[in-house]
């Protein structure tokens, strides 16, 4: 039912959990359609169902190596093709914590993560969480993104490249972690980690790097959102500045400088 409602057209539907609908419509309409993702933790059937209904795929990776999820990404893209759908985004959702140094982040996070995992484990029959398990989880083969801004940025960039992801969501609230530490983690994530990830990905080998004008202009509305086709063509969003003025923006200059710097480094190597 929700998948039909996202088309923002009158819906005729019958199911088992509520009264049937006959030509029902929903108001008000949105400007650019409704973006929706489906969280998947490792079920191939869920991946295929996500593609069938045209949702973005959000991989909930809370344990083990991100590389284990590559088959699900490949299955998702194959399923989209089989259903005749255009490419849709893949996201990653994993826990983490950021502090000024690796040691600080790890010492702040461990007690909270221990309490969190033991509470869940008591219901699921897991063994008690340990420092040894924590050291694995924060390492390159684990699913916790904790450490200094540089450590976290490098791990996120590596995961994004491994899975060909379009988005990374950091679950920053974990167990009993104090509010002030959460705020500092969020601040570092937005002001240091995110730009560093963009820089690392710009350095990665690529035949073509494209930057959307909407990103340079810091627009909250984005074009080509999943789930919309010809009914509400969101690729016709009006830019807040003339196209000819984009080249003179500070954000454009910063992005170009990163790309040029990385090109020169590639030539030297």
């Amino acid at each position: 039912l929700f998948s039909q409602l996202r088309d923002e057209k009158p819906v005729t539907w019958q199911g088992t959990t509520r009264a049937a609908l006959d030509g029902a419509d929903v108001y008000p309409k949105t400007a650019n359609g409704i973006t929706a993702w489906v969280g998947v933790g490792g079920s191939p059937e869920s991946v295929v169902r996500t593609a069938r209904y045209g949702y973005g795929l959000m991989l909930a990776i809370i344990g083990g190596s991100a590389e284990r999820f590559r088959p699900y990404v490949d299955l998702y893209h194959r399923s989209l093709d089989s259903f005749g759908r255009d490419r849709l985004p893949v996201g990653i959702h994993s826990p983490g914590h950021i502090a000024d140094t690796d040691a600080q982040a790890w010492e702040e996070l461990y007690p909270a993560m221990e309490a969190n995992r033991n509470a869940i484990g008591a219901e699921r029959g897991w063994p008690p969480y340990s420092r040894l398990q924590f050291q694995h989880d924060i390492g390159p083969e684990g699913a916790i993104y904790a450490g200094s801004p540089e450590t976290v940025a490098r791990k996120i960039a590596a995961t994004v490249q491994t899975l060909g992801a379009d988005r990374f969501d950091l679950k920053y609230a974990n167990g009993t972690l104090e509010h002030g530490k959460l705020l500092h983690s969020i601040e570092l994530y937005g002001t240091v980690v995110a730009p560093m990830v963009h820089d690392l990905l710009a350095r990665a080998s690529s035949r073509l790097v494209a930057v959307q004008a909407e990103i340079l202009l810091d627009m909250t509305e984005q074009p080509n959102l999943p789930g919309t086709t010809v009914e509400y063509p969101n690729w016709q969003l009006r830019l807040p500045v003339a196209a000819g003025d984009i080249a003179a923006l500070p954000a454009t200059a910063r992005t170009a400088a990163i790309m040029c710097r990385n090109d020169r480094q590639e030539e030297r190597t």
Side-chain angles (χ1 to χ4, degrees):
L1 174 58
F2 178 64
S3 297
Q4 293 188 45
L5 291 172
R6 287 176 64 212
D7 292 333
E8 299 191 286
K9 292 181 176 181
V11 172
T12 298
W13 175 90
Q14 184 173 358
T16 59
T17 57
R18 57 149 294 139
L21 300 177
D22 183 10
D25 214 345
V26 177
Y27 294 93
K29 304 297 184 182
T30 64
N32 300 300
I34 300 174
T35 303
W37 304 68
V38 171
V40 175
S43 166
E45 293 80 9
S46 295
V47 173
V48 174
R49 185 170 62 250
T50 301
R52 177 184 297 116
Y53 287 106
Y55 293 98
L57 178 70
M58 183 62 69
L59 294 169
I61 305 179
I62 61 173
S65 170
E67 189 174 3
R68 298 185 303 115
F69 287 78
R70 182 71 216 193
Y72 297 108
V73 175
D74 295 337
L75 173 61
Y76 178 63
H77 291 312
R78 291 197 306 270
S79 298
L80 289 173
D81 291 340
S82 68
F83 294 125
R85 294 190 176 276
D86 294 334
R87 187 186 185 280
L88 293 173
V90 174
I92 303 160
H93 178 88
S94 291
H97 178 61
I98 307 158
D100 296 323
T101 66
D102 286 342
Q104 180 185 354
W106 298 339
E107 287 305 309
E108 289 177 354
L109 180 60
Y110 177 74
M113 189 60 69
E114 181 186 35
N116 176 271
R117 291 297 173 90
N118 285 341
I120 298 174
E123 301 176 355
R124 303 184 182 182
W126 296 350
Y129 198 64
S130 66
R131 283 277 183 179
L132 184 62
Q133 180 63 49
F134 181 70
Q135 287 302 124
H136 172 271
D137 290 343
I138 62 178
E141 298 300 315
I144 297 178
Y145 294 74
S148 67
E150 181 177 359
T151 295
V152 174
R154 290 188 179 281
K155 188 170 181 178
I156 291 175
T159 296
V160 168
Q161 289 179 278
T162 297
L163 298 182
D166 303 278
R167 176 172 179 163
F168 184 92
D169 287 353
L170 183 75
K171 180 183 178 296
Y172 58 83
N174 299 284
T176 57
L177 201 58
E178 297 174 10
H179 184 64
K181 294 172 182 176
L182 289 178
L183 291 180
H184 189 50
S185 180
I186 294 170
E187 178 185 11
L188 291 175
Y189 187 60
T191 61
V192 183
V193 174
M196 195 176 294
V197 170
H198 296 160
D199 193 5
L200 290 168
L201 293 177
R203 298 181 188 183
S205 299
S206 176
R207 294 181 179 179
L208 177 66
V209 177
V211 180
Q212 292 180 203
E214 289 80 9
I215 294 176
L216 294 175
L217 297 172
D218 197 25
M219 293 175 60
T220 56
E221 294 182 348
Q222 295 289 307
N224 300 329
L225 297 177
T228 60
T229 54
V230 297
E231 295 89 348
Y232 295 93
N234 55 21
W235 56 86
Q236 295 181 358
L237 293 177
R238 183 180 296 277
L239 300 178
V241 302
D245 296 335
I246 294 177
L249 295 174
T252 304
R254 288 194 301 269
T255 303
I258 290 173
M259 294 179 176
C260 291
R261 182 173 69 248
N262 295 333
D263 285 344
R264 291 193 294 270
Q265 290 173 348
E266 289 290 336
E267 290 173 2
R268 288 197 295 271
T269 58

